[in-house]
Amino acid sequence: MARPKSDDKRNALLLAAEQVFAERGLAAAPTSAISKQAGVAEGTLFTYFRTKDELVNALYRAIKLELADVLMSHFPRQGPVRDRLEYLWNAFVSWGVANPQRLNVLDQLSVADIVTEESKAVGYEPFAEIEALALYSIETQVLEAYPCEFIAATMKALAETTMGFMSAFPDEADRYRKVGFDVFWNGVARHSA
């Protein structure tokens, strides 16, 4: 009779994959290095994940769902759009500063060809409410009529720049957090002429 799989081992393998991907990059990370980092035999990895692709997809989903929980669990569903976006901003930059390795790996996974459409859909679903808020804000002329994908990419790029400054200058982290959001907001908010 086969032994039951352990959540602890599965989680250790996911964490090891994250560490190895952060150090070596996705393409240069063999499963043997992931197994070694997790402290298990390589065959054990394949007990939990049939292929490296399956491991990559599981890690992508795990990170996206963790981030969704951080951003959406206390997301204010009412109130001014600016306040709601600032909440998301603050939650995201706090998570990114606290988890730079995980953010690095998420960036790699987000552009990896081996992440399936199904995994992308699972990773996107908890964030659909943010896209709906952006579309509503464009319709009601709170935000400029830029494509939602562009607004999201701009927010992510400015947030990652902000995270870099917050990490480099921890005594001024709150200042950079606020300045970063102000730059984002002033770039996407509709201003009366």
Side-chain angles (χ1 to χ4, degrees):
M1 180 155 82
R3 276 194 274 164
K5 292 181 183 176
S6 158
D7 284 344
D8 289 342
K9 272 192 188 169
R10 184 180 190 282
N11 292 336
L13 286 163
L14 289 172
L15 181 58
E18 176 187 314
Q19 292 167 340
V20 173
F21 294 158
E23 291 169 8
R24 298 184 182 200
L26 188 57
T31 55
S32 58
I34 295 166
S35 299
K36 183 177 179 183
Q37 181 72 31
V40 301
E42 191 168 5
T44 301
L45 184 147
F46 293 111
T47 300
Y48 289 83
F49 305 99
R50 289 176 301 188
T51 64
K52 182 180 175 183
D53 289 6
E54 188 176 300
L55 171 64
V56 165
N57 279 275
L59 181 59
Y60 174 82
R61 289 176 183 210
I63 295 173
K64 288 291 279 192
L65 294 177
E66 174 192 312
L67 180 57
D69 185 54
V70 167
L71 297 185
M72 303 308 293
S73 62
H74 299 289
F75 177 64
R77 288 173 168 80
Q78 302 295 318
V81 171
R82 186 185 198 285
D83 293 350
R84 295 162 74 188
L85 289 177
E86 189 168 19
Y87 167 84
L88 291 170
W89 176 274
N90 289 333
F92 181 52
V93 297
S94 293
W95 179 84
V97 167
N99 299 284
Q101 174 179 282
R102 193 157 288 155
L103 179 64
N104 168 292
V105 171
L106 180 59
D107 284 345
Q108 291 181 54
L109 297 175
S110 293
V111 296
D113 291 339
I114 59 177
V115 174
T116 65
E117 290 304 316
E118 179 185 351
S119 290
K120 289 176 185 175
V122 168
Y124 167 79
E125 194 276 325
F127 300 97
E129 186 174 354
I130 298 170
E131 183 178 1
L133 173 64
L135 290 170
Y136 172 77
S137 300
I138 291 166
E139 281 177 26
T140 58
Q141 299 185 351
V142 173
L143 299 180
E144 291 288 350
Y146 301 136
C148 278
E149 300 82 11
F150 184 79
I151 292 172
T154 300
M155 184 176 195
K156 183 178 181 299
L158 283 171
E160 289 185 357
T161 299
T162 300
M163 291 173 206
F165 275 85
M166 290 172 67
S167 296
F169 305 101
D171 293 343
E172 297 183 74
D174 288 338
R175 175 176 166 247
Y176 283 115
R177 177 192 312 268
K178 181 173 179 355
V179 167
F181 180 75
D182 288 345
V183 169
F184 168 70
W185 178 255
N186 290 329
V188 298
R190 190 172 176 95
H191 303 286
S192 301

